[in-house]
Amino acid sequence: MKLWLTLTAAALSFSTAANNLTFNDTLAYQLTESLTVEVGQRLAGSEADARAVAWAERTFKQLGFDKVWTEPFTMQYWERGQASLTVSEPFRQNLVVTALGGSVATPFDGISAQVAMFDSLEQLKAADQTLVKDKIVFINKSMEKDKLGSFYGSVVGARAQGAVEAAKLGAKAIIIRSVGTSINRFAHTGIMRYSDDVARIPAAAVSVPDAMQLARMLERQPELTLQLQMQNKLPGEVTSHNVIAEITGSKYPDEIVLIGAHLDSWDEGTGALDDGAGVGLVIATAALLKQQGRPQRTIRVVLFGNEEGGLVGARAYAAKHANNLNKHVFASESDFGAGRIWRLDTGFGEKSLAFAKALQQKLASYGVEAGNNTASGGPDVSVLKAQGVPVVSLQQDGTDYFDYHHTPNDTLDKIDPAALQQNLQVWLHTVSAVANSRYDLRK
Amino acid sequence: MKLWLTLTAAALSFSTAANNLTFNDTLAYQLTESLTVEVGQRLAGSEADARAVAWAERTFKQLGFDKVWTEPFTMQYWERGQASLTVSEPFRQNLVVTALGGSVATPFDGISAQVAMFDSLEQLKAADQTLVKDKIVFINKSMEKDKLGSFYGSVVGARAQGAVEAAKLGAKAIIIRSVGTSINRFAHTGIMRYSDDVARIPAAAVSVPDAMQLARMLERQPELTLQLQMQNKLPGEVTSHNVIAEITGSKYPDEIVLIGAHLDSWDEGTGALDDGAGVGLVIATAALLKQQGRPQRTIRVVLFGNEEGGLVGARAYAAKHANNLNKHVFASESDFGAGRIWRLDTGFGEKSLAFAKALQQKLASYGVEAGNNTASGGPDVSVLKAQGVPVVSLQQDGTDYFDYHHTPNDTLDKIDPAALQQNLQVWLHTVSAVANSRYDLRK
């Protein structure tokens, strides 16, 4: 199959005035570069988040979108502070640590305690309180790799719920082995949760090499003392925004084909894989489709805010548009890095599976296989799926995604421009097919 | 060829009381693990360095060395402080930075200045003063990979001499792209130099991804301002130690076969590749050779102090033993990570090349090729070579060495235990051959 843009690349190749974006098959990469270089990290609710929102509005306008607007939502702001984790004598040394998102600070002088090590969250839950009380819990569960990232679910519980479970047993703090698949010495952050009826204890992650190191130390000296010190801030409620833009449909303008990504990122990298690439892809898809001739249905690009804090922008979007979700004929999100798309999963009605099959056949030359009909559509879009919106997951090869996910190492250089071009071609075909079809994908 | 230890492994397998070291072909790895876990980083002159010296003395004694002693030397102590590098508006973000070893601090509030970017030290040297004065110089030279690390020499000049050259032209500070070959977001430290007649300006390295990021920013906005802030300390003169141990020769005890490594490391990793692996290898080699039956010549293990600060321990050793260097019949150092040994280079007299050839043939089954006769013997041992001591370089595959070199990511998990076992076999054969021969390798 010809590349989507081959036919008209010459006609489309021009630059916008302000940031030299060029309408060609590198547009997704150009946008990802622009966002990660000119804004960098964009922690939800931060000053940088506001700059990212301004970047998005400006960029949509420059690219000729028909409508551009923002939708505010309120959120609890959390800010990382300095963190350190020190092993006591006789093996005195510092470990690489980072606060989990949402964690309270330690007292200024830190928390010193012996360590209670567990292989998993499940083992912690089953532990006797006497083993845990007044200790720092350490959950040392490793994560394996695969294309789908399917091991994430069985490991991330320690991050999300570990603090509550440890606090129930009287622990002073919790540290986890990073939810990640690399032996590079980066700690992986990510959101954690408290429960209103359980004490809020500090929660942090150590890098994989440091988790291995700590386990080796504890084997030699189980009485080891750790000192954890973190200065996170929780300033309270702030406002952030979803940024939304449309290419109005030529024939069915009230039928919304929603494509999304999340604009926010964790604060230590530049959010290139998570989710700058997704932002670049969905903006480029809509912009290039308009240039190809306006599609029949409306394409709405939604850049969700505060995905990392727990789909906060997505929930705000679903609430605000609750009365209009029946006009959302399709939704899909790109939020799994920048690896090649290798499978088409759908969440359609049974009668639309013929459409899915035809689409997959069109995508086969890009290496896209037929998948299942149980797609979530992506983290933010899953909120819309729960309200009945038909979805697609264009599954990316995420083998290396958790090497970088939520670390300082999530930077532009980790993106293979050729893989991102393949993504863009698949998105162009998919969104064009949906936006120019009459299928009711709910059926 | 049989593995060296196969014949007697059963007889030799026993544990020492204190740290469970076992005399088998994993002994080098066991020692590297013991040093990096129980001591961790050991910056020359620091409290951790002193613990490393104590670890070495204790370990030599446990392993049954005949003599164990330390030799003090004085050195200038330098200690890393907190460091940050921030890009100003409109691209406000933090870059990953680390101080170069020996660098002065910035004023407490940091240094803010525009940037003068250069491709290389040579380009900086040729620059007009007006381009550099009152700026922060940024040298953005990349490094390629190969087995020998042969590109290091052409890049490291920016690190060592950049501050002097930048200061001559009136720069306020210098930052360099890390001397490293990985796109992981670690800044590589390493020693830098000042000149007495030139102003001492702060010097730092940014990670490779951050150097690429800064270059992209400067392309968009050449007037960008950077703020560099570092709190290094230079407390002055302290004492550190070389640690030395011997297996006394059975027949020619006054003929010294010196094998060495450096005990100190940079402070951000645990110095596993640089040079924990070398320490493990040379201790294990001597200890296992004694178990095999005492060699005819004396094997002297020298763990040099403060290699990283500029071969300070090596120079002290050469000075102290100046009158006895003629009795040093051989010297070799392991200080290039833990990759497989693939080539035998020598620095022998012409008449000893037959010995070198026979040795290489013995090592061929381990994949060791014949090399040249211009070996340095290793960084510390090169000081002895300059005084006429015959040397060997057992060349390790250093393809990935500069991915980790001088970063927080230099940790035990980066060592392949099988590769370290291959190293140990080659060292055992080599040192045994020399210690049981009558060749005068000077001839």
Side-chain angles (χ1 to χ4, degrees), chain B residues 350-363:
Chain B
E350 287 295 319
K351 287 188 184 165
S352 298
L353 292 181
F355 175 80
K357 188 168 184 187
L359 176 59
Q360 184 270 320
Q361 285 167 349
K362 211 187 295 191
L363 298 175

Side-chain angles (χ1 to χ4, degrees), chain B residues 16-317:
Chain B
T16 61
N19 55 7
N20 295 316
L21 293 170
T22 305
F23 276 64
N24 62 25
D25 66 349
T26 69
L27 183 56
Y29 187 86
Q30 294 173 56
L31 288 161
T32 309
E33 176 173 332
S34 173
L35 176 61
T36 56
V37 171
E38 295 163 23
V39 179
Q41 70 86 14
R42 43 209 180 270
L43 182 70
S46 69
E47 164 274 333
D49 184 27
R51 280 192 284 125
V53 167
W55 173 91
E57 289 188 84
R58 190 169 69 235
T59 300
F60 279 129
K61 286 173 188 165
Q62 284 171 354
L63 290 171
F65 277 71
D66 299 314
K67 295 182 194 163
V68 181
W69 73 97
T70 61
E71 294 180 354
F73 59 87
T74 56
M75 56 164 282
Q76 294 298 318
Y77 182 44
W78 174 88
E79 197 175 287
R80 186 182 311 283
Q82 175 275 334
S84 67
L85 182 64
T86 306
V87 179
S88 69
E89 310 303 340
F91 305 149
R92 185 163 189 81
Q93 54 196 277
N94 298 321
L95 303 181
V96 169
V97 69
T98 199
L100 295 181
S103 171
V104 295
T106 64
F108 187 78
D109 292 337
I111 290 172
S112 284
Q114 289 185 6
V115 184
M117 180 165 71
F118 297 96
D119 293 338
S120 65
L121 180 66
E122 294 66 36
Q123 200 193 36
L124 168 64
K125 282 179 174 176
D128 192 286
Q129 186 172 358
T130 56
L131 294 172
V132 175
K133 190 165 162 39
D134 295 332
K135 300 265 178 69
I136 294 176
V137 162
F138 168 39
I139 300 183
N140 186 26
K141 181 160 185 175
S142 64
M143 179 177 170
E144 288 177 63
K145 283 187 176 204
D146 72 348
K147 260 182 166 177
L148 285 163
S150 51
F151 296 97
Y152 187 62
S154 64
V155 182
V156 74
R159 189 190 80 201
Q161 305 148 40
V164 168
E165 297 302 330
K168 280 183 191 168
L169 299 172
K172 286 184 165 178
I174 180 170
I175 56 176
I176 63 164
R177 179 177 174 135
S178 280
V179 177
T181 51
S182 157
I183 57 163
N184 288 317
R185 203 172 176 207
F186 296 106
H188 297 234
T189 191
I191 199 70
M192 53 78 62
R193 301 282 171 216
Y194 291 119
S195 176
D196 281 345
D197 53 349
V198 178
R200 300 183 168 221
I201 61 173
V206 293
S207 81
V208 169
D210 288 274
M212 294 161 76
Q213 178 84 333
L214 181 55
R216 285 187 292 255
M217 289 175 177
L218 289 166
E219 196 180 325
R220 286 163 157 82
Q221 178 57 269
E223 313 284 283
L224 210 64
T225 297
L226 286 180
Q227 177 161 36
L228 175 67
Q229 197 268 346
M230 296 197 296
Q231 295 172 2
N232 312 316
K233 289 177 200 160
L234 294 100
E237 200 168 89
V238 298
T239 298
S240 182
H241 298 82
N242 295 323
V243 186
I244 304 174
E246 284 185 354
I247 306 296
T248 309
S250 60
K251 218 164 163 185
Y252 309 103
D254 63 332
E255 297 186 9
I256 296 165
V257 175
L258 186 153
I259 58 178
H262 66 85
L263 187 57
D264 68 308
S265 76
W266 284 107
D267 54 322
E268 297 190 294
T270 63
L273 294 169
D274 186 14
D275 185 22
V279 168
L281 277 168
V282 296
I283 299 177
T285 297
L288 292 170
L289 285 180
K290 182 184 176 187
Q291 291 293 323
Q292 292 281 330
R294 193 179 288 276
Q296 297 184 4
R297 289 165 160 170
T298 289
I299 300 177
R300 178 179 288 181
V301 178
V302 182
L303 303 182
F304 296 98
N306 200 9
E307 187 269 349
E308 298 294 0
L311 314 180
V312 181
R315 292 184 217 284
Y317 179 89

Side-chain angles (χ1 to χ4, degrees), chain A residues 19 29-30 33-34 36-41 47-48 51 89-93 96 183-186 209-210 212-213 216-217 219-220 268-270 404 407-414, chain B residues 19 29-30 33-34 36-41 47-48 51 89-93 96 183-186 209-210 212-213 216-217 219-220 268-270 404 407-414:
Chain A
N19 54 7
Y29 187 85
Q30 294 172 56
E33 176 173 331
S34 174
T36 57
V37 171
E38 295 164 24
V39 180
Q41 70 85 13
E47 164 273 334
R51 281 192 284 122
E89 308 305 342
F91 305 149
R92 187 165 187 79
Q93 54 196 278
V96 170
I183 56 163
N184 288 315
R185 204 173 173 205
F186 295 106
D210 288 275
M212 293 160 76
Q213 178 84 334
R216 285 187 294 256
M217 290 175 176
E219 197 182 325
R220 286 164 157 82
E268 296 190 294
T270 63
Y404 305 110
T407 72
N409 207 20
D410 178 3
T411 49
L412 184 65
D413 50 288
K414 306 310 179 303
Chain B
N19 55 7
Y29 187 86
Q30 294 173 56
E33 176 173 332
S34 173
T36 56
V37 171
E38 295 163 23
V39 179
Q41 70 86 14
E47 164 274 333
R51 280 192 284 125
E89 310 303 340
F91 305 149
R92 185 163 189 81
Q93 54 196 277
V96 169
I183 57 163
N184 288 317
R185 203 172 176 207
F186 296 106
D210 288 274
M212 294 161 76
Q213 178 84 333
R216 285 187 292 255
M217 289 175 177
E219 196 180 325
R220 286 163 157 82
E268 297 190 294
T270 63
Y404 305 111
T407 70
N409 207 20
D410 178 3
T411 47
L412 184 65
D413 51 288
K414 307 308 180 305

Side-chain angles (χ1 to χ4, degrees), chain A residues 167-226:
Chain A
K168 280 183 190 168
L169 299 171
K172 286 184 166 177
I174 180 170
I175 56 176
I176 63 164
R177 177 178 175 133
S178 281
V179 178
T181 51
S182 159
I183 56 163
N184 288 315
R185 204 173 173 205
F186 295 106
H188 297 235
T189 191
I191 199 71
M192 53 77 62
R193 300 280 172 217
Y194 291 118
S195 175
D196 281 345
D197 52 350
V198 178
R200 298 182 170 224
I201 61 172
V206 293
S207 83
V208 170
D210 288 275
M212 293 160 76
Q213 178 84 334
L214 181 55
R216 285 187 294 256
M217 290 175 176
L218 289 167
E219 197 182 325
R220 286 164 157 82
Q221 177 56 270
E223 313 285 282
L224 210 64
T225 297
L226 288 180

Side-chain angles (χ1 to χ4, degrees), chain A residues 213-369:
Chain A
Q213 178 84 334
L214 181 55
R216 285 187 294 256
M217 290 175 176
L218 289 167
E219 197 182 325
R220 286 164 157 82
Q221 177 56 270
E223 313 285 282
L224 210 64
T225 297
L226 288 180
Q227 178 161 37
L228 175 67
Q229 197 268 342
M230 298 198 294
Q231 296 172 2
N232 312 315
K233 289 178 200 160
L234 296 100
E237 199 168 89
V238 298
T239 298
S240 182
H241 297 83
N242 295 321
V243 186
I244 304 173
E246 285 184 354
I247 305 295
T248 309
S250 61
K251 218 163 162 185
Y252 310 104
D254 62 332
E255 296 186 11
I256 297 165
V257 175
L258 185 153
I259 57 178
H262 67 84
L263 187 57
D264 68 310
S265 76
W266 283 108
D267 53 322
E268 296 190 294
T270 63
L273 294 168
D274 186 13
D275 185 23
V279 168
L281 277 167
V282 295
I283 298 177
T285 297
L288 290 170
L289 285 179
K290 182 184 175 186
Q291 290 292 323
Q292 292 280 331
R294 191 180 290 277
Q296 297 182 5
R297 288 164 160 171
T298 288
I299 300 176
R300 176 179 289 182
V301 179
V302 182
L303 303 181
F304 295 98
N306 200 9
E307 186 271 347
E308 298 295 0
L311 314 180
V312 182
R315 291 184 217 283
Y317 180 90
K320 184 172 171 70
H321 297 270
N323 294 334
N324 191 38
L325 288 184
N326 60 334
K327 285 296 187 183
H328 286 59
V329 300
F330 172 93
S332 188
E333 182 173 15
S334 175
D335 182 23
F336 199 53
R340 285 173 189 271
I341 295 171
W342 64 282
R343 200 171 81 185
L344 171 70
D345 290 345
T346 52
F348 289 171
E350 287 295 320
K351 287 188 183 165
S352 298
L353 292 182
F355 175 79
K357 187 167 184 189
L359 175 59
Q360 185 270 323
Q361 284 167 350
K362 211 186 297 190
L363 298 175
S365 65
Y366 295 102
V368 179
E369 302 166 13

